[in-house]
Amino acid sequence: MGKTQREEWDLAEITTDVLIIGTGPAGAATAALLATYGVENMVVNRYRWLANTPRAHITNQRTMEVLRDLGHEVEAEAYMHATEQDLMGENVFCESLAGEEIGRMKSWGKHPLSRAEHMLASPSHMNDLPQTFMEPILFSAACKRGTQARMSTEYLSHEQDADGVTTTLLDRLSGREFQVRSRYLVGADGGNSLVAEHIDAPIEGKMGVGGSMNILFRADLSKYVAHRPSVLYWVMQPGADVGGIGMGLVRMIRPWNEWLIVWGYDINEPAPVVDEAMATNVARQLVGDPELEIELLSANTWTVNDAYATNMQNGRVFIMGDAAHRHPPSNGLGSNTSIQDAFNLAWKLAAVVKGQAGEALLDTYTTERAPVAKQIVTRANQSIGEFGPIFEALGMTGGTDIEKIKASMDARCDAGEAGEAQREALRQAIAFKKYEFDAHGVEMNQRYRSSAVVADGQPEPSFTRDAELHYQPTTWPGARLPHVWVFDHSTGQQVSTLDLCGNGRFTLLTGIGGEAWCDAATQVGASLGLDITCHVIGPRQKYIDHVGDWARASEIGDTGCLLVRPDHHVGWRSAAIIAEPAKELSRVLQLMLSKK
């Protein structure tokens, strides 16, 4: 006869509201957010510490907004450790770092037009923050705010029932198994997620479509790169040791003396053993310095994946991060999407745990984030294929005749129509890589459609520009609240509209004549047990729209309102004041929170 739910809680060695498996960007962010929202949580990691290699690094504006929401001190610490946007620079394509440069492109918001779009889109700045720095920032914030953390603790299995989840863990130091009872379980345990396997998460796509190796090393390469700062140096090199021909990547970790080489291997063959001799040889080859001495820090192999979960939850168990979307590092979407998964799920878990929402609210996690998982996995793998035109323009396709390839590459220097056509083809091929290296729309245009959004039939605005390249702000319900600067009446300081929202609370924004919405927010908040913040933006108010940017961006009249969710996404809007604002706000919030 099985144990009752009460016995499950009584027999568990440890109890908590939410148990999180994994302390990577997704797991650590979830823990930090839940702790900030006052939700008891525990996070475990099978290893003795956090990331030991700088895997993920590109950090986009939307992710920095999440860190900003955790507190300006968290955002500031990230900037302190990051390589700033200007040093992320211009992707360089070359025959080797010491050899001839083939071309370059302005990337990551470096082009003045792109920089303007970045500045208009967000109060936060893109940067390069290796995972070895990001994880400790998030983990530290979580633990300081109340998360219980255990290292050297391995997830083995779980069983869920109507009341909670019983998870069996292994203390890897003592070899002892123990159980944790929680209301919810979050699997943020990476691309080989055991939690995803145990909930039979439906995964579409294919794992192991390619093989790669990472070689992390120290060497002062400033004489080759300081005059052309970049995060990524792409080496187009015929006759490479691996694969006959191909392309290698020399990635900056710390300017300009810590580096990561990424090089492919045949996935159909055993993974190579990367020792110091091999690593030194590859580094010398790609840098183009036969005398280069390196300090090898680590080397490992990994596989390129093309897979995503179509359902990111099963009952009380959720997956996120690499457990749900498995893809190459193209576009720099991995840790960014992982942290944004956490931002979506954490406020919903908090609302349900606190009794402010019905459990059906949690179903909107998959509804909203699974399409994002599909989008970014598709985009990342497509970006790999978009190197093809560069190879074609250089004549690096169609064989392994090294001399022929070298002659084809040299032909771009020839006078005459053929040489001119090749140079133009190469310029266009490199420029087309903006879909990987400057895809601002992919990073910022996420719009949610679920029961946690009440659009009331308002048509979604179509994109007037390329939605992968350009962010299009809108307050259509489901879209992220547009950022504009308003001004604090008491200090004169500018404040982002995003800073008026978030922090685990719903926010209502209105203008002069819409004060009744604030009265409604107080009344409805009290009846639903919600802390709803309300701001009236206008002359002689706390926040003033001196330059008119908010009036243009809000897409509502002064007496209308926007109801913004804790994750900065607009949940509902009204163009103008109505007869019974409290009744309408109550209707909307009960729908969004699955209260009826």
Side-chain angles (χ1 to χ4, degrees):
M1 185 174 179
K3 293 188 288 289
T4 66
Q5 293 171 9
R6 182 67 264 167
E7 287 174 327
E8 292 280 6
W9 285 100
D10 290 341
L11 290 173
E13 224 174 291
I14 299 171
T15 61
T16 190
D17 284 324
V18 182
L19 174 62
I20 303 157
I21 311 300
T23 57
T30 302
L33 288 161
L34 288 174
T36 302
Y37 301 159
V39 174
E40 185 178 302
N41 71 92
M42 176 179 175
V43 63
V44 302
N45 180 351
R46 66 175 300 182
Y47 304 106
R48 63 182 177 86
W49 190 230
L50 307 176
N52 61 356
T53 60
R55 302 184 285 277
H57 60 115
I58 300 296
T59 306
N60 65 37
Q61 288 178 294
R62 185 61 184 134
T63 294
M64 289 306 301
E65 289 172 0
V66 178
L67 270 61
R68 186 183 184 94
D69 190 78
L70 280 169
H72 288 283
E73 73 280 5
V74 177
E75 184 188 36
E77 187 175 0
Y79 288 137
M80 181 177 70
H81 291 292
T83 297
E84 53 138 343
Q85 190 169 13
D86 282 334
L87 291 183
M88 294 172 69
E90 303 174 354
N91 271 270
V92 173
F93 299 83
C94 55
E95 294 187 358
S96 69
L97 266 62
E100 185 175 6
E101 182 172 326
I102 294 170
R104 67 176 80 171
M105 66 163 291
K106 294 184 183 297
S107 310
W108 316 120
K110 177 72 171 177
H111 191 285
L113 292 175
S114 181
R115 178 62 60 87
E117 291 191 33
H118 278 241
M119 293 176 67
L120 290 169
S122 176
S124 300
H125 311 294
M126 173 172 267
N127 59 76
D128 188 278
L129 184 63
Q131 193 166 338
T132 42
F133 292 94
M134 175 68 87
E135 280 189 24
I137 291 171
L138 293 171
F139 185 74
S140 173
C143 294
K144 287 176 181 176
R145 298 176 188 190
T147 293
Q148 295 288 349
R150 287 186 63 133
M151 314 307 284
S152 300
T153 301
E154 182 176 353
Y155 165 84
L156 297 179
S157 64
H158 76 267
E159 292 184 7
Q160 63 172 310
D161 51 54
D163 192 42
V165 185
T166 300
T167 302
T168 301
L169 302 171
L170 171 68
D171 182 330
R172 300 184 72 189
L173 298 180
S174 67
R176 186 177 68 87
E177 294 183 12
F178 65 100
Q179 291 186 326
V180 174
R181 181 72 172 168
S182 61
R183 292 183 62 178
Y184 300 98
L185 174 67
V186 176
D189 51 336
N192 295 310
S193 171
L194 196 56
V195 176
E197 180 183 327
H198 287 170
I199 65 169
D200 293 322
I203 305 292
E204 289 196 5
K206 187 178 179 181
M207 299 284 283
V209 297
S212 287
M213 67 181 79
N214 284 352
I215 300 171
L216 179 65
F217 66 97
R218 288 196 185 100
D220 182 2
L221 303 182
S222 55
K223 65 180 178 180
Y224 303 122
V225 298
H227 62 289
R228 47 178 181 178
S230 178
V231 171
L232 305 174
Y233 296 83
W234 300 93
V235 179
M236 323 295 289
Q237 197 171 90
D241 285 345
V242 180
I245 62 170
M247 175 178 64
L249 171 62
V250 183
R251 172 190 146 195
M252 181 275 296
I253 305 299
R254 301 273 91 182
W256 304 106
N257 60 7
E258 188 172 335
W259 301 88
L260 181 73
I261 283 177
V262 183
W263 196 247
Y265 70 88
D266 188 344
I267 193 68
N268 298 309
E269 299 293 332
V273 176
V274 187
D275 57 17
E276 187 164 3
M278 178 185 179
T280 300
N281 185 52
V282 171
R284 287 175 174 176
Q285 182 177 334
L286 297 190
V287 174
D289 181 352
E291 305 300 323
L292 179 69
E293 295 295 333
I294 70 170
E295 178 189 353
L296 180 63
L297 301 178
S298 68
N300 64 286
T301 59
W302 51 280
T303 59
V304 177
N305 301 314
D306 184 0
Y308 56 89
T310 56
N311 190 330
M312 297 168 62
Q313 62 194 99
N314 182 334
R316 294 176 172 271
V317 184
F318 306 85
I319 58 171
M320 61 169 53
D322 288 353
H325 28 87
R326 308 166 185 185
H327 53 91
S330 316
N331 288 77
L333 296 170
S335 65
N336 291 293
T337 307
S338 301
I339 291 169
Q340 292 157 34
D341 286 346
F343 203 34
N344 183 284
L345 180 59
W347 76 264
K348 297 173 181 177
L349 284 170
V352 174
V353 166
K354 294 177 181 180
Q356 298 166 340
E359 291 208 351
L361 172 64
L362 300 176
D363 296 338
T364 66
Y365 170 62
T366 278
T367 307
E368 294 180 350
R369 294 303 295 176
V372 175
K374 178 180 180 179
Q375 177 200 18
I376 63 107
V377 169
T378 302
R379 178 67 256 171
N381 280 278
Q382 187 175 329
S383 290
I384 292 179
E386 289 170 354
F387 275 103
I390 298 177
F391 281 91
E392 291 171 10
L394 290 171
M396 295 180 70
T397 61
T400 56
D401 186 331
I402 304 303
E403 294 305 316
K404 182 179 179 180
I405 293 170
K406 187 68 172 67
S408 296
M409 294 180 69
D410 291 342
R412 74 185 188 280
C413 303
D414 294 346
E417 292 184 2
E420 185 173 350
Q422 185 178 7
R423 290 189 292 274
E424 174 61 14
L426 181 59
R427 285 193 294 269
Q428 291 189 13
I430 291 176
F432 189 66
K433 290 302 292 175
K434 62 188 176 183
Y435 281 93
E436 177 175 0
F437 303 123
D438 207 16
H440 196 220
V442 172
E443 299 165 357
M444 302 292 287
N445 275 331
Q446 294 167 11
R447 299 175 180 177
Y448 296 149
R449 302 160 186 84
S450 76
S451 61
V453 171
V454 180
D456 284 337
Q458 299 176 56
E460 179 180 355
S462 58
F463 288 97
T464 56
R465 304 175 72 187
D466 191 316
E468 289 198 303
L469 296 181
H470 303 286
Y471 165 58
Q472 180 168 310
T474 177
T475 63
W476 179 75
R480 163 191 165 275
L481 179 74
H483 150 74
V484 299
W485 295 112
V486 293
F487 298 85
D488 188 316
H489 176 73
S490 60
T491 67
Q493 297 297 311
Q494 63 182 14
V495 180
S496 171
T497 47
L498 294 175
D499 291 337
L500 303 182
C501 306
N503 305 121
R505 297 189 299 270
F506 280 86
T507 303
L508 197 147
L509 302 176
T510 188
I512 290 178
E515 291 84 357
W517 289 116
C518 291
D519 296 334
T522 300
Q523 179 183 332
V524 174
S527 67
L528 297 180
L530 289 174
D531 180 10
I532 305 174
T533 301
C534 185
H535 297 293
V536 179
I537 300 175
R540 298 182 182 175
Q541 302 299 316
K542 168 66 173 171
Y543 297 105
I544 306 174
D545 182 22
H546 283 309
V547 295
D549 285 341
W550 175 243
R552 286 182 285 270
S554 67
E555 299 176 335
I556 57 172
D558 283 351
T559 66
C561 74
L562 299 176
L563 180 62
V564 184
R565 307 187 329 182
D567 60 357
H568 302 161
H569 281 254
V570 177
W572 173 77
R573 68 180 178 183
S574 177
I577 194 69
I578 60 174
E580 298 182 89
K583 181 178 179 180
E584 180 67 351
L585 187 59
S586 179
R587 175 190 74 87
V588 168
L589 278 166
Q590 289 190 68
L591 286 173
M592 290 174 61
L593 296 171
S594 300
K595 294 285 282 187
K596 64 176 182 180

